[in-house]
Amino acid sequence: MATAAEDDPPGLQGNTGNSAAARKNAYPDGPSPGTSQTNKKTIGHRGINPTGETTYKKTTSSALKGAIQLGITHTVGSLSQKPERDVLLQDFEVMESIFFPSEGSNLTPAHHYGDFRFKTYAPMAFRYFREMFGIRPDDYMYSLCNEELIELSNPGASGSLFYVTRDDEFIIKTVQYKEAEFLQKLLPGYFMNLNQNKRTLLPKFYGLYCVQSGGKNIRIVVMNNLLPSSVKMHLKYDLKGSTHKRRASGKERDKAVPTFKDLDFMQDMPEGLILEGETFSAVCKTIQRDCLLLQSFKIMDYSLLLGVHNVDQARAEAGAVAVDQARHQIQKPLYCTALEAIQSKPTRMGSVDMEDKTGGIPAKNSKGERLLVYMGIIDILQSYRLAKKIEHSWKALVHDGDTVSVHRPSFYADRFQRFMCNTVFKKTAGKSSPIKKRRAVGHIPLKKVPVLLTQASSESRSDVEFESGMQPGRPDILPKTLPNISTMKATEHTVSVSLENMISAQKEASSADQSKVLAEPLEESLGGISLSDVVPQVNTCSV
């Protein structure tokens, strides 16, 4: 069965943590951290202890955040002391481990989180990934470890925990063993794809770690943040391209910013999101390229997380789009915004002040309102294993197999692309060029001209027409003056060569018939102009 994280992934939206009100606005479907949640049921490994604090595998959220920051500080610092080199195949299988006793050691500081062990997977490979996206080690460590991580109050119903950094750049998510194992297997292919294509809507993984505490392994992954919390999302969608039960529940709709699904999008925005022609092509090309990669890895059940910021509506709301400049002091990762990911340039649709800072894709709705679209493909760690095959077979017995979410990777990728490029995104109706209109109206089928005649420059023909007194487009009027000798010779030579080629193709005809046969097609190709019209007072080309 598909995890709830795939059906309800709004926890991927970042949060600044500047105020409880901001967190509630961005993640309204759960109480903020520290609030009493004892009446809430345990979901997966996530639960609530008697004091109201969130726990994961019986480890409190505060202890987990502290362990993550201590571990990343140590592993990034020690890795920076190692010389740079090319990534080798065995680097993807490396796992480094360090023990953090509460009283401290020669390598680790003292802390009050309890003893734990911190594991780092493929450190050299992930260092290369971070360098590829322009993330310096000091920036990475500063973002994750300098200030306390913010726990998202709306992590969805998957049982995972989500944290966001204060600068709104990185998301930390707990993952299950199968997902972490699958990501390790993907790393070589992921590495190869990033080398070929840095512009992608796929998640950008910056690190894979494990906190071992109380006999439990808590695996976490560091990713890019898709939806900046500095921008108010007026609409959010989780789109898969399937229609079976793909509608937001009543409970979800009661939230301040609900996450809608495919059927909701088709009902609320039947005209789709209107993009400029170049932007539309870039979006579809990127989606097609990403789906091809996911299909090659036999990945399915992924989603397109879509956040829509209505520029005109935001301007009507006092102070709704103020951007906190303090969040962008450190170097931002490359290719981390939606506009960078699709390899497109800003267009006149999105001429708003904050476009260059947030990287939203300019679009319009059916009302003509200006929009900024933020998106990315999420939940790509679901492979078409035996459990998924059984799930698809079972659902196909009860419902239309082509409408259910779980499906074989090739079909899923094709359906996903069609839905995104035919239903979600639409190309704006561009104005046809006046030149194209003129060609379309005045098009007259032309008869085939000998190759060498067509190679004569238009400039030479213009000179002939001008000097000979011929009116353009009027071959029926004879020239008033004689053409100059150089033009006559050039034309005579060109016609001579053409006639030689045509004569060689008709060796069996008689010499008298050859002259007749060659003269007729030449006159046809020149629109009824005889050789005497083009080259008056010159003997017909003797070959």
Side-chain angles (χ1 to χ4, degrees), residues 117-162:
R117 182 173 293 276
F118 192 83
K119 301 177 181 179
T120 304
Y121 297 93
M124 294 294 293
F126 279 112
R127 182 177 75 170
Y128 182 88
F129 296 160
R130 293 193 293 268
E131 291 176 352
M132 191 180 298
F133 293 112
I135 304 175
R136 296 192 296 261
D138 53 343
D139 284 340
Y140 182 70
M141 190 163 53
Y142 183 88
S143 295
L144 292 168
C145 307
N146 187 61
E147 297 183 82
E148 184 181 359
L149 299 173
I150 303 167
E151 180 186 344
L152 302 186
S153 58
N154 178 22
S158 64
S160 297
L161 288 184
F162 288 85

Side-chain angles (χ1 to χ4, degrees), residues 3 23 54 61 104 115 153 201 217 296 323 337 367 406 441 444 521:
T3 62
R23 288 195 295 271
T54 306
S61 179
D115 297 350
S153 58
L201 291 173
N217 289 315
S296 69
V323 179
T337 66
K367 299 178 183 178
V406 180
V441 173
I444 301 175

Side-chain angles (χ1 to χ4, degrees), residues 80-303:
S80 62
Q81 300 176 3
K82 297 181 180 180
E84 294 187 4
R85 60 171 176 80
D86 295 336
V87 179
L88 306 177
L89 185 60
Q90 55 265 32
D91 290 331
F92 296 102
E93 302 174 358
V94 173
M95 188 275 292
E96 295 181 353
S97 178
I98 181 72
F99 182 63
F100 285 82
S102 57
E103 65 274 11
S105 66
N106 294 333
L107 299 176
T108 62
H111 58 86
H112 57 275
Y113 304 120
D115 297 350
F116 69 91
R117 182 173 293 276
F118 192 83
K119 301 177 181 179
T120 304
Y121 297 93
M124 294 294 293
F126 279 112
R127 182 177 75 170
Y128 182 88
F129 296 160
R130 293 193 293 268
E131 291 176 352
M132 191 180 298
F133 293 112
I135 304 175
R136 296 192 296 261
D138 53 343
D139 284 340
Y140 182 70
M141 190 163 53
Y142 183 88
S143 295
L144 292 168
C145 307
N146 187 61
E147 297 183 82
E148 184 181 359
L149 299 173
I150 303 167
E151 180 186 344
L152 302 186
S153 58
N154 178 22
S158 64
S160 297
L161 288 184
F162 288 85
Y163 301 106
V164 64
T165 56
R166 290 275 177 176
D167 58 11
D168 210 26
E169 295 298 337
F170 303 106
I171 287 285
I172 299 176
K173 176 189 176 184
T174 60
V175 294
Q176 300 177 8
Y177 166 73
K178 285 293 183 181
E179 293 175 320
E181 183 185 41
F182 186 59
L183 177 57
Q184 285 181 274
K185 293 180 180 179
L186 285 181
L187 285 181
Y190 181 75
F191 172 85
M192 181 181 68
N193 179 66
L194 288 182
N195 272 291
Q196 298 178 96
N197 172 38
K198 297 180 182 65
R199 298 183 183 271
T200 173
L201 291 173
L202 298 177
K204 297 176 177 64
F205 299 107
Y206 300 132
L208 178 62
Y209 311 100
C210 177
V211 176
Q212 192 175 49
S213 176
K216 302 288 185 180
N217 289 315
I218 304 175
R219 297 167 181 86
I220 61 171
V221 63
V222 180
M223 304 179 294
N224 60 313
N225 186 18
L226 296 178
L227 307 184
S229 59
S230 60
V231 183
K232 180 179 180 181
M233 297 300 159
H234 296 94
L235 291 170
K236 282 195 300 180
Y237 293 95
D238 173 57
L239 306 174
K240 291 175 179 278
S242 59
T243 56
H244 176 61
K245 293 185 178 181
R246 293 296 296 166
R247 191 181 297 277
S249 63
K251 182 180 179 181
E252 180 70 24
R253 291 175 180 274
D254 291 337
K255 301 173 185 177
V257 187
T259 301
F260 297 106
K261 300 183 181 179
D262 303 67
L263 294 176
D264 302 313
F265 185 93
M266 297 169 67
Q267 178 180 343
D268 300 338
M269 304 186 72
E271 300 299 325
L273 297 170
I274 303 172
L275 307 175
E276 289 284 357
E278 181 181 350
T279 306
F280 175 83
S281 300
V283 169
C284 292
K285 181 180 179 181
T286 304
I287 291 176
Q288 180 183 11
R289 189 171 54 231
D290 291 341
C291 286
L292 181 62
L293 178 70
L294 294 173
Q295 179 182 338
S296 69
F297 288 129
K298 301 189 185 309
I299 297 174
M300 38 66 66
D301 216 15
Y302 43 87
S303 305

Side-chain angles (χ1 to χ4, degrees), residues 25-51:
N25 178 58
Y27 310 97
D29 58 335
S32 57
T35 316
S36 177
Q37 305 180 37
T38 53
N39 58 342
K40 194 172 182 181
K41 295 181 180 180
T42 300
I43 303 176
H45 295 295
R46 189 181 74 234
I48 306 297
N49 65 9
T51 63

